[in-house]
Amino acid sequence: MIKIIYGQKGTGKTKQLIDSANANAQNAKGVSAFITDTKRYMYDLNRNIRFVDVKDWTITGEDALCGFVKGIAAGNGDYEHIYIDGIVRIAGKPLNELAGIFFMLDKISSDNGITVTITCSAAKEELPDFVAKYA
């Protein structure tokens, strides 16, 4: 399952994502990962959530992010939640050009029983169809 947290810049999407991750960590039986491009929120997350700053792994671009998420899922079959904050910043492309990564995330999610939650900086009516179907 993919979940989208959307809204204009500055509307608290990252806070919602962190709150969701922390709430899920309380009852999770599996592992969770929080993927972002800054260390700013590292200490806001429950210590049971694996925090990943993509800059530490030199992940830039859509293909690198796809491969990284696949590696996380393949490396540990116990992942229950993956949170991605700022997919547009990490992928380096506008949201309307990210259909491929959303297709891949949907496949990983459904094949492995992982809930993927993603923040997108856009109003609901601005979301491309391939994203809006998860909102």
Side-chain angles (χ1 to χ4, degrees):
M1 169 191 304
I2 292 181
K3 296 180 180 179
I4 303 295
I5 298 175
Y6 60 88
Q8 297 297 335
K9 186 173 180 168
T11 56
K13 296 176 300 299
T14 299
K15 171 111 172 69
Q16 287 178 357
L17 189 67
I18 291 169
D19 290 347
S20 175
N22 286 335
N24 287 332
Q26 299 299 320
N27 303 318
K29 294 178 181 155
V31 182
S32 298
F34 189 95
I35 302 169
T36 188
D37 63 347
T38 178
K39 289 187 181 14
R40 182 174 169 188
Y41 309 109
M42 177 189 291
Y43 299 109
D44 296 335
L45 290 166
N46 181 299
R47 67 183 186 94
N48 294 325
I49 300 168
R50 176 155 187 228
F51 180 83
V52 180
D53 181 349
V54 296
K55 292 178 183 174
D56 292 341
W57 299 93
T58 319
I59 297 165
T60 55
E62 181 181 9
D63 292 338
L65 181 58
C66 281
F68 190 76
V69 173
K70 287 178 184 179
I72 286 176
N76 185 342
D78 292 335
Y79 271 95
E80 189 174 342
H81 298 279
I82 296 177
Y83 303 91
I84 303 173
D85 184 38
I87 195 166
V88 168
R89 288 189 318 266
I90 297 168
K93 288 184 176 180
L95 185 59
N96 63 354
E97 294 180 19
L98 295 178
I101 195 166
F102 276 86
F103 174 80
M104 184 276 306
L105 291 171
D106 187 49
K107 180 144 179 55
I108 287 175
S109 174
S110 61
D111 289 353
N112 298 286
I114 300 171
T115 301
V116 180
T117 308
I118 305 164
T119 60
C120 297
S121 290
K124 186 171 186 171
E125 58 276 359
E126 296 172 352
L127 296 173
D129 291 340
F130 62 85
V131 176
K133 69 181 184 180
Y134 303 113

